[in-house]
Amino acid sequence: MSTSSQQSKVINRRVHSLQNGGRISRDGSRPTKRVVGHHDGYTFALRIAYLSYLLQPQVKRTQYLPKPTPIQRTTSSISDLMKDFSISKDTKSTKFPHGFMSELEKRLTGVIMGKEKKPEFNDATIKRSFAAFFNAFTEQGFRKRMEKDRKVEDLVLIFYSNATRELQKGKAPTDDSWKYMVDRHVALFIRLISLILKDHDWAKERPELASRLSTLESKLLAHDQDLSAQSNGGQTTIEVVVPRSYEVKDMPLVQAVARIFGLTNTQIQSDINKNRSTWTAEAALKDLKTYQTLLNLNSQKVLRNDDFDLEEAYDAWKKAEGPDLSQMMLTIMQTNPELAKGKSRNSFRQLNSLTNTSEASDPSYSDSLRKMSEVSEGSSYVIDQPVDMRLLSAVEPNSDIHDEENPFTYIPPDPRSYYRFILAEIISYELRNKAAQAANDNADIAIFKVLSKSSMELLNEICFRWRIPLFSRTVIFLDVVRDKFIEQEISLETLDEILYFLKEPQAEIRKGPNYLGSLISDRTRWTLSDFVLLRQILTTLHDNLLRDIYDIALHCYEDKPPPIGYTIHVLQDHIYDDLSFSQATEEYGEFKRQLHKGLQDKAFELYKNYLEKHLPQDQQQWEFYHVIELGKAVLALAQKIQKRYRKNPEIMGVNPLTTLVGITLPLYAEDARDIVARILQLSSQKEEEVPIEDGFDLYRELVEIRQIHIEALPDVPFAFQIEDLLADFVWRWIKLTESKVPTWVEEAVKQDNFSVRTENADEIPSEDQRHSLSIIDIFSSFNQTIDRIVQLNWDNDLHYAKFMTALAKIVGAGILRYCEILEQRFTKEMDRLTPEQEATANQSRQEKWVQLAKDAWNNKEKIEPFQFFPESFVKLNNIEFATRQLDKLEREVNVDACVEVIERNTPPINQRQRKVNNYVFTIKIVEAEDLKACDINGLSDPYVVLGDEYQKRLAKTRIIYGNLNPRWDETVDITTQGPLNIIATVWDWDQLGEHDCVGRTSIKLDPSHFGDFLPREYWLDLDTQGRILLRVSMEGERDDIQFYFGKAFRTLKRTERDMTRKITDKLSAYINHSLSRRALRSLLSKGITMSSVSSYFQRNKPVQPTHVPTQAEIEEALKPLFTYFDDNFAIMNKTLTRDAMVMVMTRLWKEVLVTIESLMVPPLSDKPSQQRPLNQQELDIVFKWLQLLFDFFHAVDEETGEANGVPREVLQSPKYFEIKTLNFFYFDTTENLVRTSERMASATASRQQAQRNRLSAPASLSSMSFGGAAGLLGLPSTRRSKSIMLSRNLGTMKKAKEEKRKEAQADPNDDMILRILRMRPEAERYLRDRSRQKERLAAAAAAELIVRQSIMAGGGRMTGNLPRR
């Protein structure tokens, strides 16, 4: 490790305290400097400026003489002059560069052709001499030798010989005037060589060659006239030397000193006159000799080896000083020849030899010395080439310059201190005269921003005479610039430009001013004092830049903060990247802590200002708006800071954004919590409510701030749960929405005309145009309602799930209300009277009886297509569209995820008491049998009305015409909070007069009897005759999103089913007419001989067939039915959607199956039936009809084979397969049927027992009971309950339906056999025994169910589900 590196470790630096009351000053970091008196500094600057004047080449002027007197040559011959070249070492520095000969040829051509710009080359005689040389120069052998050797002396001697021969021409032998012209022409030739070297920058590469050429030129012209001297007639003109005036006006550098030190020319002139005898060229020569002596003696007054880190550095510097000093002495003596008198020729030659040795390595000295010997017309001598001198005299810091007598006249006792003082004075003067700087042509160069050209000439002369090395000049210059920056006289931009300028390579710096060196030069060759000073400069700049960064950083939160990037850039590029700078880690850490603390204080102060600005002093005036505005202000500031520092997020390792949010966000969170709580408290005291929208706006703002808080401060929890504080606003909004939903629905229906949405009446509507606007508006409202909560981005899953549950309840209520209104309107439209019915209604009672008799006599059963309204079909489309939209809404809400969240955050059932307030009873009115005949034809047209004990109608079924064993299969939901008595009344519809009561019965719906939530079937005896089958199930109405969606889906599907049934009911009469036993008889008998009336009253009496119908006749018998279907389907197809159309056709297919089934077998019962079985021929016709109807509803295109109707899998329902099985048992013997029934009953019982053992759950026994004890008990049924939870979306409904189909196909029963046996009188006893067997099995299943429930009572699933008595 070098000595300088070791010394750099002991330089102690410390980051000063950064935070004080006012603006931070830079003065605290200034190092102490040696004090130099103003007069002393001025005096030594004046001496150097005056010496520069003394050493200038004297100006010459032209003088006319009558006749020139021959001047005898006193100089040596050309061979003597060239000895300096010939005796020198054959080194590269004394040879011409490669390519020089080509350039010389071009310039020679220019001289000869008269194109040379220099006026001294325009003389005809000179052109002749140059032309003679050009001929010899272009000779191939000579040119080749010159390009190889490249020696100066060869070229000059050849020119001399050719010029001599050319000038001798035409001269008398006694005329030797031409000899003087030879010297001039040779000197001009040497000058041309020097110009070529200078123009191509070869002089810098070969400074020794340029210096010797300059010396040779001076010698040739030392005692001769100027080259421009001419003879004019009888007179001769010569140039004579102008005597020195010693006036300030002729001394440019002296005038510069006067301006810098603020003195007048008179004062300066007085000081010069006073010291003129002392400040002489001889004194300058003496100073150089003294300096050389001290250097050889290794005196303390000059640089010694102890001043350098490396011995090699000192040796290199000292080796370069010797030739430089000799050259300076030579220049002084050439300028003042009298100083050379008294000295021997050998001494002068020895000095010249020392000067021209290759050890004079500094080209700047040679350049400077050459310029000193050139003639400068109208200008003073200036040094404008760079000088690379290795300095002298760093006097010990503690020595007193007045302790010893100064041995020098021009060199001060401490050159570094004096130089620094003068440099500081010059820069201060230049900075005060900024206008002069602006006018400087070189203002774009960094150094010219603090130094003018004249100032640099003076400084260059001072450093040259005081022997200050180039690196010392640079460091001292930077030291002064550092002080000016600390005193804020120099801007940061100027400092940056200067530092960049000083970091340029030496070659680049020389292209500009020649005054300074480069900071990137080899610092191992510096003196220790320069290296230490550089480190002190870097440390001081570092401390001050850190102060500036701290001060600027504290303004980073303002609207227009001062830029900080430039300061950091300067610190990074010029301080941290400099290898001479070192900083302790703890110092940097301390700065970061101080900066972070300062930014925290600023952030806290800024937040306090925001709080005072946005929050009123009076708490009574507080509103959510103030909290929102405060939050927006905090967020806006954070976003502004984030954007401002996006590319560079940190300032010296401190993040302003993180610091800001680390202070402001926790403070805002705490204040927001307290302010909101206080606002809510005051509102409660005033019995006022904060607007809901204000709560939503506040939530959005708080959530945004919390998100930023989480991202910026992941380890700091937010001050409070926003959702817990503001959830009440959402519940208020939900409650308000719930109150508005019925109005939305009613208004939507009121404004809807229920027509397809086509632009033209004749246009065929697309599938999307077949529903009306009301359902679109309603679901648009539902979606907007849900989106309102979704857009809040509520960040509490449990709250969100509960919100969605409440909204699902609202949606369900809206759908229920919509279905109620549509069904009422639909029913009114479907129950309207036809024109014939209206005419009949206006007839008298007697006219009605007469018309009825006429119709019966004429066997008139006029059935015409019902005139459906398009509005009715649009309503059905709306229900189908609502089902799809609800399914889509259910998926978007993500119902299952909501349920999972609620279950995860809800205690287990055995840890909580589940309280059920409402119960939903689902009552299915299945069928009735053996009803009382109320019409004169021995039949009834029954329908059922359900009512409560307060005679409030709850439901009504459709009318089944002409049937004593009707089947309705209609379902109704009844909600109750406790036990409820239900009265079921069967009525007979009459076209004439009031409807007749067929019978009544009742059932008590008690939630305690349905604790297992399993469906039960009840055969209820009517008070007259016959009985009715009800299937009852119960569900607890719970606050569950799946329940609400399921309830809404079931409402839609039931409405859809009821509306579809009402449509098909209008067609069922003709189906029954076309597929009746009378139609069979008509087909077989081809005409009836008995009267129509008699046939009407004896329609069940068997008639022997007299005709075997063909296939065409069988098909022809159904043609009216198909035509009837086609006419009605054509009407429907104009309006119904495809799904709705398939649904109606599917329902019609079910009616067809039920009609065909009732044609072949009676309903299931334990009593014998009076129905006559069909014969084989009739049965075959029925099955052919079934196949024809199957093909009709399937509607396969004969050309494409594509089914356009009801899908095959839908047509092949369990009922279809049951009917198909009748063909296997219909004509079997009673004995075989009984055995088959027993075998199937035994297999069914075994499967059910195995299922109970496998599932360990109560299993139902049969699909249908026969009354008796089982009917009274209402035991569980094998049929799966269509629960609300199984109807919560289209997916679950489809899955449940598919499972039901699979169960029906996989679990055959003996119901069809029992229905066949009802038409066998001999099977009466078996039917009774079979009924008793089912009752016993049902009773056993009920007992087992009770036992299972008792076992599960300790913590089973149903525990606590019902109110306790």
Side-chain angles (χ1 to χ4, degrees):
M1 181 181 294
S2 66
T3 306
S4 60
S5 300
Q6 294 174 353
Q7 290 185 4
S8 66
K9 288 189 175 182
V10 301
I11 300 176
N12 296 322
R13 298 183 304 276
R14 180 180 297 111
V15 177
H16 297 275
S17 176
L18 296 175
Q19 188 178 12
N20 51 32
R23 175 172 176 83
I24 299 174
S25 173
R26 296 170 171 167
D27 296 338
S29 298
R30 261 199 209 166
T32 303
K33 306 295 180 185
R34 174 186 292 274
V35 178
V36 175
H38 184 274
H39 183 265
D40 293 339
Y42 153 72
T43 300
F44 277 97
L46 181 60
R47 294 180 186 185
I48 298 301
Y50 178 69
L51 178 61
S52 174
Y53 172 74
L54 293 179
L55 297 181
Q56 278 186 356
Q58 290 182 276
V59 179
K60 297 180 181 180
R61 58 184 175 83
T62 302
Q63 183 176 353
Y64 294 92
L65 300 176
K67 185 177 181 179
T69 302
I71 301 176
Q72 300 296 323
R73 292 175 59 95
T74 59
T75 59
S76 303
S77 65
I78 188 65
S79 58
D80 293 335
L81 295 176
M82 294 303 299
K83 284 182 180 180
D84 291 338
F85 286 94
S86 59
I87 65 174
S88 62
K89 298 179 181 179
D90 188 13
T91 61
K92 177 181 177 181
S93 61
T94 59
K95 289 185 177 183
F96 289 120
H98 292 287
F100 174 81
M101 299 303 169
S102 298
E103 295 299 325
L104 178 61
E105 182 178 356
K106 294 178 183 179
R107 294 297 287 269
L108 289 172
T109 303
V111 171
I112 296 170
M113 300 296 293
K115 297 180 179 180
E116 181 63 40
K117 296 180 180 180
K118 298 291 183 180
E120 56 266 28
F121 293 96
N122 294 330
D123 184 72
T125 307
I126 294 175
K127 292 179 181 181
R128 283 169 46 207
S129 299
F130 274 72
F133 168 74
F134 184 78
N135 293 332
F137 178 75
T138 54
E139 184 183 351
Q140 185 175 3
F142 177 75
R143 176 69 175 270
K144 185 175 181 180
R145 187 177 78 251
M146 290 303 302
E147 288 182 350
K148 178 181 179 181
D149 297 338
R150 296 182 284 122
K151 292 183 178 180
V152 179
E153 56 270 25
D154 294 344
L155 199 62
V156 174
L157 290 174
I158 292 299
F159 183 88
Y160 176 80
S161 61
N162 282 277
T164 300
R165 285 197 301 270
E166 185 64 28
L167 292 175
Q168 279 181 337
K169 293 179 180 179
K171 300 293 182 181
T174 58
D175 186 3
D176 58 355
S177 61
W178 58 270
K179 296 181 181 180
Y180 308 124
M181 297 301 296
V182 171
D183 290 347
R184 298 188 198 121
H185 289 198
V186 173
L188 191 56
F189 177 69
I190 293 173
R191 180 175 294 183
L192 183 65
I193 294 174
S194 299
L195 289 173
I196 295 173
L197 293 175
K198 183 178 180 181
D199 291 344
H200 292 82
D201 284 340
W202 288 329
K204 295 180 181 180
E205 298 176 359
R206 287 166 171 75
E208 185 176 355
L209 174 61
S211 177
R212 293 184 180 185
L213 289 173
S214 177
T215 303
L216 178 59
E217 180 185 350
S218 301
K219 290 179 180 179
L220 289 170
L221 300 176
H223 300 284
D224 210 341
Q225 298 99 336
D226 187 69
L227 293 175
S228 61
Q230 300 178 5
S231 296
N232 187 5
Q235 294 183 345
T236 302
T237 60
I238 63 171
E239 290 186 350
V240 296
V241 176
V242 179
R244 298 185 187 277
S245 65
Y246 296 101
E247 295 181 1
V248 173
K249 62 182 180 65
D250 297 328
M251 306 176 186
L253 292 186
V254 173
Q255 294 177 14
V257 172
R259 290 192 300 270
I260 292 169
F261 288 92
L263 300 175
T264 63
N265 289 349
T266 303
Q267 293 174 316
I268 295 291
Q269 188 70 58
S270 175
D271 291 337
I272 291 175
N273 294 336
K274 186 188 304 181
N275 297 284
R276 181 174 174 180
S277 60
T278 306
W279 299 349
T280 62
E282 184 178 3
L285 183 62
K286 180 181 178 182
D287 281 356
L288 291 177
K289 293 179 179 179
T290 305
Y291 176 83
Q292 190 176 38
T293 302
L294 295 175
L295 181 63
N296 294 331
L297 295 176
N298 200 21
S299 171
Q300 294 184 359
K301 294 184 179 296
V302 295
L303 290 179
R304 300 184 299 168
N305 55 357
D306 293 341
D307 295 323
F308 290 87
D309 185 21
L310 301 176
E311 190 70 29
E312 299 84 29
Y314 171 73
D315 292 342
W317 170 80
K318 185 177 180 181
K319 187 176 182 180
E321 281 289 281
D324 293 342
L325 291 173
S326 300
Q327 184 68 40
M328 293 173 67
M329 295 178 190
L330 177 61
T331 303
I332 294 174
M333 288 187 289
Q334 287 177 344
T335 308
N336 298 272
E338 63 275 6
L339 296 178
K341 294 179 179 180
K343 296 187 178 294
S344 65
R345 180 182 181 89
N346 292 335
S347 299
F348 181 80
R349 183 173 297 173
Q350 181 182 5
L351 181 60
N352 189 28
S353 175
L354 287 173
T355 303
N356 292 325
T357 182
S358 60
E359 294 177 353
S361 61
D362 193 340
S364 61
Y365 295 139
S366 300
D367 257 359
S368 300
L369 295 173
R370 179 182 58 79
K371 285 180 174 288
M372 293 175 66
S373 59
E374 289 183 353
V375 177
S376 178
E377 298 182 1
S379 64
S380 62
Y381 160 67
V382 293
I383 300 177
D384 58 359
Q385 294 296 322
V387 184
D388 187 19
M389 308 173 191
R390 320 291 167 125
L391 175 71
L392 136 103
S393 143
V395 180
E396 297 298 327
N398 296 326
S399 66
D400 190 349
I401 63 173
H402 300 291
D403 290 347
E404 298 182 14
E405 182 180 355
N406 184 20
F408 304 106
T409 300
Y410 292 97
I411 303 176
D414 183 3
R416 290 173 60 94
S417 297
Y418 275 79
Y419 164 69
R420 188 189 187 284
F421 172 79
I422 295 172
L423 176 62
E425 291 293 324
I426 291 175
I427 293 179
S428 297
Y429 166 76
E430 298 289 355
L431 293 176
R432 289 194 300 269
N433 293 269
K434 294 182 178 180
Q437 292 185 40
N440 195 335
D441 295 336
N442 298 313
D444 56 333
I445 301 177
I447 193 171
F448 282 116
K449 293 188 177 182
V450 293
L451 293 176
S452 63
K453 186 175 182 180
S454 60
S455 298
M456 281 191 289
E457 291 177 359
L458 175 62
L459 290 172
N460 197 18
E461 188 70 20
I462 290 173
C463 295
F464 181 66
R465 297 300 170 187
W466 292 355
R467 309 305 302 146
I468 298 179
L470 198 61
F471 51 79
S472 296
R473 304 182 200 179
T474 306
V475 175
I476 295 173
F477 172 76
L478 184 59
D479 186 29
V480 175
V481 170
R482 181 267 315 268
D483 284 354
K484 298 302 179 183
F485 172 71
I486 292 174
E487 295 168 359
Q488 301 184 7
E489 297 181 21
I490 291 179
S491 65
L492 182 66
E493 291 76 9
T494 303
L495 174 66
D496 178 45
E497 293 177 5
I498 290 175
L499 288 172
Y500 270 123
F501 176 79
L502 295 180
K503 284 184 177 182
E504 292 180 355
Q506 187 67 36
E508 296 297 326
I509 289 182
R510 287 184 178 180
K511 291 181 181 179
N514 64 342
Y515 164 54
L516 299 173
S518 174
L519 286 175
I520 63 173
S521 59
D522 186 5
R523 296 180 184 178
T524 59
R525 297 187 176 272
W526 289 13
T527 62
L528 291 175
S529 59
D530 288 321
F531 184 78
V532 172
L533 178 58
L534 177 62
R535 298 195 65 177
Q536 291 176 351
I537 294 170
L538 294 176
T539 301
T540 307
L541 287 175
H542 172 262
D543 295 347
N544 283 275
L545 289 173
L546 282 186
R547 290 189 179 92
D548 289 346
I549 290 173
Y550 179 86
D551 184 58
I552 297 173
L554 294 186
H555 296 82
C556 69
Y557 299 138
E558 297 177 359
D559 292 337
K560 294 182 179 180
I564 197 172
Y566 200 71
T567 308
I568 297 176
H569 154 76
V570 173
L571 182 67
Q572 182 66 45
D573 284 10
H574 302 305
I575 307 299
Y576 291 149
D577 290 351
D578 197 304
L579 299 178
S580 298
F581 176 78
S582 62
Q583 181 190 25
T585 306
E586 57 272 11
E587 295 177 0
Y588 182 69
E590 178 62 24
F591 173 78
K592 287 176 59 177
R593 286 189 292 271
Q594 291 288 344
L595 180 57
H596 186 261
K597 180 63 170 57
L599 291 178
Q600 284 182 326
D601 294 341
K602 283 291 183 180
F604 180 77
E605 180 182 352
L606 195 61
Y607 177 76
K608 284 179 60 179
N609 295 335
Y610 280 166
L611 192 64
E612 294 174 358
K613 177 181 179 182
H614 294 286
L615 193 66
Q617 296 295 326
D618 186 4
Q619 295 185 7
Q620 299 294 331
Q621 299 177 3
W622 284 0
E623 296 179 2
F624 283 179
Y625 169 78
H626 300 123
V627 183
I628 294 173
E629 289 301 309
L630 178 60
K632 287 182 178 179
V634 173
L635 279 186
L637 178 61
Q639 291 169 355
K640 181 173 66 176
I641 298 304
Q642 183 182 28
K643 182 178 180 181
R644 180 179 297 168
Y645 297 100
R646 180 175 60 254
K647 295 182 179 180
N648 299 300
E650 291 188 351
I651 299 177
M652 301 299 294
V654 179
N655 191 316
L657 177 61
T658 303
T659 305
L660 175 68
V661 299
I663 294 296
T664 57
L665 293 188
L667 290 175
Y668 173 78
E670 295 174 1
D671 290 343
R673 175 195 60 198
D674 298 339
I675 294 171
V676 171
R678 182 57 179 165
I679 291 174
L680 296 177
Q681 181 183 4
L682 293 174
S683 299
S684 177
Q685 293 174 359
K686 296 177 183 179
E687 297 182 355
E688 298 176 352
E689 287 186 341
V690 179
I692 295 175
E693 290 301 324
D694 290 355
F696 286 174
D697 292 341
L698 177 62
Y699 177 76
R700 282 188 285 266
E701 189 68 28
L702 291 177
V703 166
E704 185 178 359
I705 293 177
R706 181 176 61 186
Q707 183 61 33
I708 297 176
H709 186 285
I710 293 173
E711 294 175 357
L713 308 171
D715 299 330
V716 180
F718 200 70
F720 67 103
Q721 289 295 328
I722 305 173
E723 288 73 17
D724 293 341
L725 186 62
L726 300 179
D728 184 60
F729 287 91
V730 183
W731 288 117
R732 284 172 51 198
W733 181 83
I734 291 175
K735 184 177 180 181
L736 179 63
T737 303
E738 185 177 11
S739 65
K740 293 180 179 180
V741 166
T743 305
W744 293 350
V745 174
E746 293 169 2
E747 288 297 323
V749 174
K750 185 183 299 183
Q751 297 176 10
D752 193 1
N753 57 7
F754 294 99
S755 61
V756 293
R757 295 176 292 109
T758 56
E759 296 181 359
N760 301 320
D762 298 335
E763 182 182 349
I764 299 176
S766 64
E767 288 291 310
D768 293 336
Q769 294 175 332
R770 293 175 182 252
H771 48 268
S772 62
L773 293 174
S774 61
I775 194 62
I776 297 177
D777 294 341
I778 289 173
F779 268 93
S780 176
S781 300
F782 290 161
N783 286 318
Q784 290 175 6
T785 301
I786 292 176
D787 287 344
R788 188 65 187 279
I789 301 300
V790 173
Q791 290 170 1
L792 287 176
N793 294 319
W794 200 263
D795 196 14
N796 185 302
D797 292 343
L798 180 60
H799 287 179
Y800 179 81
K802 290 183 177 180
F803 295 157
M804 291 297 108
T805 301
L807 291 180
K809 182 178 180 181
I810 294 174
V811 170
I815 289 175
L816 177 61
R817 180 58 182 157
Y818 185 73
C819 290
E820 288 176 353
I821 298 175
L822 253 63
E823 195 167 10
Q824 289 173 3
R825 293 192 173 196
F826 186 84
T827 302
K828 185 177 180 180
E829 293 167 359
M830 300 302 292
D831 291 344
R832 75 185 189 281
L833 298 177
T834 63
E836 294 80 4
Q837 291 173 337
E838 291 180 357
T840 302
N842 294 328
Q843 294 177 347
S844 64
R845 187 178 183 87
Q846 185 176 358
E847 291 175 343
K848 293 178 180 179
W849 280 107
V850 172
Q851 184 65 39
L852 181 62
K854 288 181 179 180
D855 292 340
W857 178 264
N858 295 324
N859 194 20
K860 180 182 179 182
E861 292 190 20
K862 185 179 180 181
I863 305 295
E864 295 181 357
F866 183 78
Q867 297 299 320
F868 294 102
F869 287 163
E871 294 85 348
S872 303
F873 293 145
V874 172
K875 293 181 178 65
L876 180 58
N877 291 340
N878 286 358
I879 298 299
E880 185 266 336
F881 176 78
T883 304
R884 288 188 282 110
Q885 291 299 308
L886 184 63
D887 184 67
K888 179 181 178 182
L889 188 63
E890 191 262 355
R891 292 194 305 271
E892 291 176 351
V893 170
N894 199 352
V895 170
D896 294 338
C898 294
V899 172
E900 181 183 355
V901 169
I902 293 177
E903 290 179 352
R904 188 169 61 246
N905 292 275
T906 304
I909 296 178
N910 56 3
Q911 297 181 11
R912 57 188 171 93
Q913 181 67 31
R914 180 177 178 182
K915 184 178 180 181
V916 179
N917 295 324
N918 294 329
Y919 303 92
V920 179
F921 283 93
T922 301
I923 301 176
K924 183 173 185 179
I925 305 171
V926 183
E927 62 179 338
E929 65 177 23
D930 198 20
L931 296 179
K932 180 179 69 172
C934 296
D935 296 336
I936 61 174
N937 59 3
L939 300 174
S940 295
D941 302 322
Y943 66 93
V944 180
V945 175
L946 295 183
D948 61 9
E949 52 192 295
Y950 304 104
Q951 299 183 356
K952 178 182 178 182
R953 176 183 286 191
L954 301 176
K956 175 188 174 183
T957 68
R958 73 187 190 282
I959 302 170
I960 304 297
Y961 294 96
N963 202 322
L964 298 179
N965 299 291
R967 188 177 185 88
W968 293 279
D969 285 327
E970 294 190 22
T971 305
V972 63
D973 286 340
I974 298 175
T975 302
T976 179
Q977 295 182 348
L980 178 67
N981 290 318
I982 298 296
I983 299 173
T985 304
V986 182
W987 294 89
D988 171 56
W989 179 85
D990 282 333
Q991 185 176 357
L992 304 176
E994 296 183 355
H995 301 180
D996 300 323
C997 180
V998 178
R1000 288 186 177 87
T1001 187
S1002 64
I1003 183 175
K1004 184 178 183 180
L1005 304 179
D1006 192 343
S1008 62
H1009 297 163
F1010 292 84
D1012 56 0
F1013 293 94
L1014 293 177
R1016 286 171 169 75
E1017 293 182 346
Y1018 296 91
W1019 275 105
L1020 303 176
D1021 294 327
L1022 300 178
D1023 57 357
T1024 53
Q1025 77 173 58
R1027 56 183 181 174
I1028 185 172
L1029 177 61
L1030 302 180
R1031 184 176 295 124
V1032 183
S1033 63
M1034 185 194 75
E1035 286 186 273
E1037 187 171 282
R1038 40 189 178 157
D1039 191 20
D1040 184 280
I1041 189 170
Q1042 290 180 337
F1043 178 85
Y1044 291 131
F1045 268 101
K1047 189 175 181 180
F1049 270 110
R1050 192 160 69 169
T1051 299
L1052 288 171
K1053 296 305 290 184
R1054 285 182 179 173
T1055 303
E1056 184 180 65
R1057 186 170 57 248
D1058 291 344
M1059 294 172 72
T1060 304
R1061 183 180 289 117
K1062 285 182 173 63
I1063 294 174
T1064 57
D1065 283 349
K1066 297 301 179 181
L1067 310 178
S1068 61
Y1070 198 73
I1071 294 174
N1072 294 329
H1073 168 74
S1074 301
L1075 302 177
S1076 64
R1077 287 178 176 255
R1078 181 168 48 188
L1080 278 176
R1081 289 196 301 269
S1082 175
L1083 182 62
L1084 293 172
S1085 61
K1086 277 297 182 179
I1088 302 176
T1089 58
M1090 61 186 68
S1091 64
S1092 299
V1093 177
S1094 175
S1095 174
Y1096 185 79
F1097 287 104
Q1098 300 179 15
R1099 64 180 60 185
N1100 288 329
K1101 185 176 180 178
V1103 177
Q1104 295 300 324
T1106 60
H1107 175 72
V1108 178
T1110 63
Q1111 180 66 26
E1113 291 175 338
I1114 294 174
E1115 295 177 0
E1116 185 67 22
L1118 290 184
K1119 187 175 181 180
L1121 179 61
F1122 291 157
T1123 302
Y1124 183 73
F1125 281 158
D1126 287 337
D1127 293 342
N1128 284 279
F1129 289 167
I1131 297 173
M1132 297 177 189
N1133 196 42
K1134 292 180 180 180
T1135 308
L1136 287 178
T1137 63
R1138 173 169 176 76
D1139 292 339
M1141 190 69 190
V1142 172
M1143 182 172 54
V1144 171
M1145 294 177 66
T1146 303
R1147 180 63 195 176
L1148 276 176
W1149 173 248
K1150 291 181 180 179
E1151 291 289 339
V1152 168
L1153 293 179
V1154 170
T1155 302
I1156 289 178
E1157 182 188 46
S1158 65
L1159 189 63
M1160 293 189 291
V1161 292
L1164 186 64
S1165 177
D1166 60 343
K1167 298 178 182 179
S1169 173
Q1170 299 299 321
Q1171 182 174 334
R1172 177 185 63 82
L1174 301 176
N1175 57 36
Q1176 184 64 55
Q1177 192 175 9
E1178 291 173 332
L1179 190 64
D1180 291 342
I1181 293 173
V1182 171
F1183 277 109
K1184 289 180 180 180
W1185 283 354
L1186 180 62
Q1187 185 60 44
L1188 290 172
L1189 288 166
F1190 184 93
D1191 295 339
F1192 176 81
F1193 278 92
H1194 193 40
V1196 176
D1197 192 328
E1198 295 180 358
E1199 295 181 358
T1200 63
E1202 181 182 358
N1204 297 319
V1206 182
R1208 179 180 294 275
E1209 59 271 14
V1210 176
L1211 294 175
Q1212 293 177 343
S1213 63
K1215 176 66 69 178
Y1216 174 80
F1217 285 111
E1218 286 181 357
I1219 294 175
K1220 297 287 283 187
T1221 60
L1222 281 175
N1223 204 18
F1224 298 102
F1225 303 110
Y1226 202 78
F1227 296 107
D1228 203 356
T1229 62
T1230 303
E1231 183 179 354
N1232 288 340
L1233 291 177
V1234 170
R1235 283 198 298 267
T1236 303
S1237 175
E1238 290 177 345
R1239 186 169 60 254
M1240 294 177 70
S1242 177
T1244 300
S1246 299
R1247 284 195 303 270
Q1248 292 174 350
Q1249 183 62 40
Q1251 184 179 8
R1252 287 196 298 270
N1253 295 337
R1254 183 174 68 254
L1255 301 177
S1256 300
S1260 55
L1261 298 175
S1262 64
S1263 62
M1264 183 105 38
S1265 57
F1266 288 95
L1272 294 175
L1273 287 173
L1275 294 177
S1277 169
T1278 58
R1279 294 183 182 272
R1280 179 183 296 272
S1281 172
K1282 292 182 180 179
S1283 67
I1284 292 176
M1285 298 305 291
L1286 291 177
S1287 305
R1288 63 179 181 268
N1289 56 44
L1290 291 179
T1292 57
M1293 295 168 68
K1294 184 177 181 180
K1295 183 178 180 182
K1297 192 172 184 178
E1298 187 63 27
E1299 290 179 356
K1300 179 181 177 181
R1301 181 188 297 272
K1302 291 180 180 179
E1303 287 181 4
Q1305 294 177 354
D1307 190 15
N1309 55 59
D1310 60 342
D1311 288 353
M1312 279 299 179
I1313 296 177
L1314 294 176
R1315 295 174 71 174
I1316 294 173
L1317 290 175
R1318 284 195 66 194
M1319 297 184 294
R1320 312 282 178 90
E1322 63 273 17
E1324 180 179 1
R1325 183 173 181 179
Y1326 175 75
L1327 292 173
R1328 186 168 54 253
D1329 293 342
R1330 183 80 174 87
S1331 175
R1332 292 174 182 173
Q1333 178 187 10
K1334 287 191 175 186
E1335 290 176 1
R1336 288 193 300 272
L1337 291 175
E1344 183 180 3
L1345 178 61
I1346 294 173
V1347 172
R1348 289 177 184 273
Q1349 289 180 346
S1350 300
I1351 294 174
M1352 296 171 63
R1357 186 178 181 85
M1358 303 302 171
T1359 303
N1361 285 346
L1362 298 172
R1364 299 182 179 181
R1365 299 192 177 188

